[in-house]
Amino acid sequence: VNEKRIGAVFSALGDATRRHVVECLAEEGALTATELAERVPVTRQAIAKHLSTLAEAGLVASEPQGREVRYHLTPGPMSEAVGWIADTGAEWDSRLRRLRDHFAR
Amino acid sequence: MVAQLQGICNQAVAYYTCGVRIERRITLPVGSADAWAGILDFSSWFCDEHALDRVEAGARVEFRWADGVSRAAVFEDVEPPHTLSFRWLPFARDDSGRASPRPQARVEITLEPNGDGVDVIVIERRLDRAEAIA
């Protein structure tokens, strides 16, 4: 499940408009689709579609507030991908240190 | 909190554009042939024990660590003393033999002569991203 999720995350972030939406939500916390359409130069309908792609990837969650729905970031899945890079990088750092020591002897 | 979120987003976007991969480079003070032999002696640097029959495309190698975890991989490109690549099998085993899933990933080790020594460049790349997008 996690592996598929990471693929969906990177796929969702492969689109410049969706990255713009993510940036707006990162800067301002929670916004409605209408508010997002004021900040990102596409229609409200397009925003709604991008939000649903981001939600499917687990990057965005919605919350009804009165008559409106507000969207906010849920960065957990991004941390997963970032975590793989950090863990794998740390493994190679220690392996390559041993390789270097092996030849320094 | 916002700065943290932005940091994570920026990192994720950067990883998207260059792929989900890590790259490392070190310089060894020996020639390519010695470096190649040293790299193939996996238990001296990569793991604690290793088992392999042949080093050629399609051959299997198994790595084991002191904590009892083992992982297997299959060699892909083998061009001594320049390129060695392998694809991880998508699971690891603990000391009781129980398997747990690991990401689809491929490791490529490239040796480039550099003066009296040799640069060793390691790239480990996730393979699941492209499949998920396609």
Side-chain angles (χ1 to χ4, degrees):
Chain A
V1 176
N2 286 354
E3 302 313 320
K4 268 189 196 156
R5 236 174 117 183
I6 292 178
V9 168
F10 284 95
S11 173
L13 293 174
D15 178 271
T17 306
R18 283 197 289 273
R19 286 202 296 274
H20 196 163
V21 169
V22 167
E23 278 161 21
C24 290
L25 294 174
E27 277 165 24
E28 304 193 48
L31 294 169
T32 63
T34 309
E35 286 168 340
L36 278 164
E38 288 161 9
R39 290 161 176 79
V40 181
V42 294
T43 63
R44 197 192 164 285
Q45 283 74 15
I47 291 285
K49 213 167 157 218
H50 287 310
L51 283 169
S52 98
T53 304
L54 290 166
E56 276 166 33
L59 293 171
V60 157
S62 60
E63 218 178 321
Q65 211 174 64
R67 272 188 217 169
E68 295 183 316
V69 179
R70 302 188 82 80
Y71 296 86
H72 61 269
L73 282 185
T74 48
M78 277 188 268
S79 312
E80 227 172 296
V82 170
W84 180 85
I85 306 250
D87 294 347
T88 306
E91 278 174 7
W92 279 108
D93 287 336
S94 74
R95 289 168 187 156
L96 291 174
R97 210 161 28 236
R98 280 197 297 272
L99 184 63
R100 196 160 31 201
D101 290 351
H102 182 69
F103 283 103
R105 259 183 264 141
Chain B
M1 172 70 172
V2 170
Q4 212 180 347
L5 283 180
Q6 272 178 305
I8 292 170
C9 292
N10 292 344
Q11 262 179 306
V13 169
Y15 294 142
Y16 177 80
T17 45
C18 64
V20 186
R21 71 207 274 276
I22 68 106
E23 179 168 348
R24 294 290 187 274
R25 176 188 288 258
I26 61 164
T27 305
L28 297 177
V30 295
S32 292
D34 287 344
W36 180 264
I39 288 167
L40 289 181
D41 183 16
F42 290 108
S43 16
S44 69
W45 65 284
F46 188 85
C47 55
D48 295 300
E49 283 173 48
H50 72 276
L52 62 88
D53 293 332
R54 294 155 292 128
V55 181
E56 61 182 44
R60 186 181 160 115
V61 55
E62 190 162 330
F63 308 110
R64 187 178 294 276
W65 289 271
D67 59 5
V69 173
S70 68
R71 283 197 76 180
V74 175
F75 289 117
E76 293 196 332
D77 301 321
V78 180
E79 292 165 36
H82 306 295
T83 309
L84 179 72
S85 71
F86 57 82
R87 186 186 284 248
W88 287 114
L89 297 191
F91 59 89
R93 284 188 193 285
D94 63 17
D95 48 4
S96 67
R98 195 192 311 270
S100 57
R102 287 289 189 277
Q104 296 276 353
R106 182 178 193 269
V107 172
E108 185 171 302
I109 301 172
T110 310
L111 280 68
E112 284 177 7
N114 176 1
D116 292 338
V118 61
D119 282 350
V120 177
I121 301 119
V122 170
I123 295 175
E124 180 157 353
R125 192 189 306 273
R126 286 284 288 260
L127 301 173
D128 44 3
R129 184 181 73 97
E131 286 161 21
I133 287 172

